[in-house]
Amino acid sequence: QVLVTESGGGSVQAGGSLRLACQYVGHIYPTYCMGWFRQTPGKEREGVASIYRADNSTAYIDSAKGRFTISYTDSAKGQYTFSQDKSKNTLYLQMNDLKPEDTAMYFCAADRGMTFRPSLAQEDYTYWGQGTQVTVSS
């Protein structure tokens, strides 16, 4: 099991930047796929960025390419570990040149180590954070 908690959301003007952080604890497998999703009221949750820990390959939604960067640091260093120190395990989403259409609730997520690639499909994910709000004003 992996437990995740997010932070870093807030309000910013168009063109500004925010960095979201998601701390996780529990069983950390080399094959974990981790991602960021967003959702606005009345719309489907959409995948924004994903990273596959085994080779650090990434995937981004088209609108995020060139503006958002997903990365992580953790104590596992590519191996399996069981960690209860969330300060050592963090998934990031650096968001630059933010636009009003980026306004949404952002969620981090992790799979069960069975996707074997970066994925923007929410059905591939098992563990979800509670969400953090990002608001971009024009």
Side-chain angles (χ1 to χ4, degrees):
Q1 183 178 3
V2 176
L3 301 179
V4 295
T5 55
E6 300 124 332
S7 62
S11 297
V12 65
Q13 288 191 326
S17 298
L18 284 173
R19 187 173 77 160
L20 305 183
C22 172
Q23 294 180 310
Y24 50 96
V25 296
H27 296 278
I28 304 171
Y29 294 93
T31 55
Y32 267 158
C33 170
M34 298 185 290
W36 288 95
F37 289 74
R38 65 187 179 189
Q39 189 171 24
T40 55
K43 291 191 175 181
E44 291 284 324
R45 187 173 297 187
E46 66 175 357
V48 176
S50 175
I51 189 164
Y52 177 47
R53 291 186 70 253
D55 62 9
N56 292 324
S57 55
T58 57
Y60 294 92
I61 192 173
D62 285 347
S63 62
K65 291 178 181 177
R67 299 189 300 126
F68 293 5
T69 303
I70 187 171
S71 63
Y72 71 93
T73 60
D74 66 37
S75 55
K77 301 189 185 303
Q79 305 299 315
Y80 165 78
T81 190
F82 178 77
S83 173
Q84 293 184 299
D85 186 351
K86 66 179 183 180
S87 70
K88 295 183 178 179
N89 310 310
T90 308
L91 176 71
Y92 298 101
L93 184 67
Q94 177 67 43
M95 304 186 294
N96 298 326
D97 189 24
L98 282 161
K99 304 176 186 300
E101 51 264 41
D102 294 318
T103 296
M105 183 73 77
Y106 283 72
F107 300 86
C108 66
D111 77 338
R112 297 176 64 185
M114 300 299 292
T115 308
F116 303 112
R117 69 188 188 289
S119 173
L120 299 180
Q122 61 173 322
E123 58 265 25
D124 287 333
Y125 292 84
T126 300
Y127 308 107
W128 292 86
Q130 80 284 359
T132 185
Q133 179 67 37
V134 171
T135 302
V136 184
S137 58
S138 58

